[in-house]
Amino acid sequence: MQKNLMGTLVALALGGGTLLGAGASPAGAASAAEGAGAAGRSVAVQPATGAAGASARTGTGTVATASGVTARATATDTALKPKPKPRPKAVTFEGTVALSNCSGSVVKLPNSADRDRALVMTNGHCLEGGYLGPGEVVIDRASSRSFNLLNAQAGTAGTVRATKVAYATMTDTDVALYEVNASYADIKRRFGVQPLALSAQHPKAGAAISVVSGYWKQQYTCSVDGFVHELREGRWTWKDSVRYTPECQTIGGTSGSPVVDTTTGAVIAVNNTGNESGERCTENNPCEVDENGQVTVRPGINYGQQSYQITRCVAAGNKVDLSLPGCTLPKP
């Protein structure tokens, strides 16, 4: 998990890691006890792989008559022409937040209204009370935690404060949702900041992404390399995790950062961990486990947890309701 900042600060002091964007001084540090390693049937160590994705078709065709005069293209001819690539969205820091030891974002669901109390999304392991145990779920727990809200240029736009932890867990996924003391409309009016849209769709392999850290005021750009059946780290297991291509070298303090699809501009995951030293299934060294129990270790590769499931578990008024049809988030 990418909450431990002390090792990150040492690594940065020694010149390790490449960051994109403007630098920022850390607001705090946190450490965690080591978890027990998870056993697997066999283990394979994989080197970092290149970016995933397919090249767009680039061939064109020419249609001509026997006399050499170009004829009008038919529907078939038109289909042979390359389709224009979607223009990437400009990803900024607007709507991201900095916690005392992690990152996060103000997120708006498809059925959220402007008058609803806004939700801040981060990792379950970023809770102020410490790590949650396997199987533990928090619902509607009082909180007064504050968040530094950023504008598009990564400047501080203001502060919002939580009223409660609406939902949090480290089982199957690693997510926390805080309800804050202002509506989306209030945040727009007072700070000029819009929330990030939370996608209701499963992300796609090869999608171009940006991991946006409000803590470090940095962006990490890469692609979705694929999905992991089970990602095991210490005592915890996460399902259908997002694996990044090697370019996203996220570090401590980026935990909870929104993972933004740069084509749609929507949040598709929440950043949470990476294999730091090549160990197998230990804390800060997650391993991948496939459907057959095969264990794979990918040193230096980082991961996030999909967030589309959240949209199926929040009712009108931004109220978490785990009894909704299609809701698969763990229950207490």
Side-chain angles (χ1 to χ4, degrees), residues 46-94:
Q46 298 289 342
T49 57
S55 300
R57 185 169 58 187
T58 57
T60 58
T62 302
V63 182
T65 64
S67 62
V69 179
T70 302
R72 180 176 300 174
T74 65
T76 302
D77 302 325
T78 302
L80 294 175
K81 294 181 179 180
K83 295 181 180 180
K85 295 180 180 179
R87 186 182 298 274
K89 302 286 185 181
V91 178
T92 72
F93 292 90
E94 183 173 5

Side-chain angles (χ1 to χ4, degrees), residues 158-243:
T159 301
V160 292
R161 188 174 296 276
T163 57
K164 66 179 181 180
V165 179
Y167 181 85
T169 191
M170 289 178 64
T171 299
D172 293 350
T173 186
D174 184 9
V175 68
L177 290 174
Y178 285 88
E179 181 184 276
V180 303
N181 60 354
S183 68
Y184 297 111
D186 292 335
I187 292 173
K188 174 61 178 177
R189 175 178 53 82
R190 292 164 54 191
F191 308 118
V193 170
Q194 294 278 19
L196 283 74
L198 195 65
S199 174
Q201 304 301 317
H202 190 290
K204 297 179 180 179
I209 57 174
S210 182
V211 182
V212 189
S213 172
Y215 184 92
W216 289 108
K217 301 182 180 179
Q218 306 288 347
Q219 291 191 32
Y220 306 79
T221 57
C222 60
S223 300
V224 174
D225 190 50
F227 305 99
V228 182
H229 176 65
E230 288 186 353
L231 191 67
R232 294 181 186 172
E233 180 173 339
R235 297 182 294 148
W236 297 276
T237 298
W238 303 308
K239 298 179 179 179
D240 203 17
S241 302
V242 178
R243 183 201 307 121

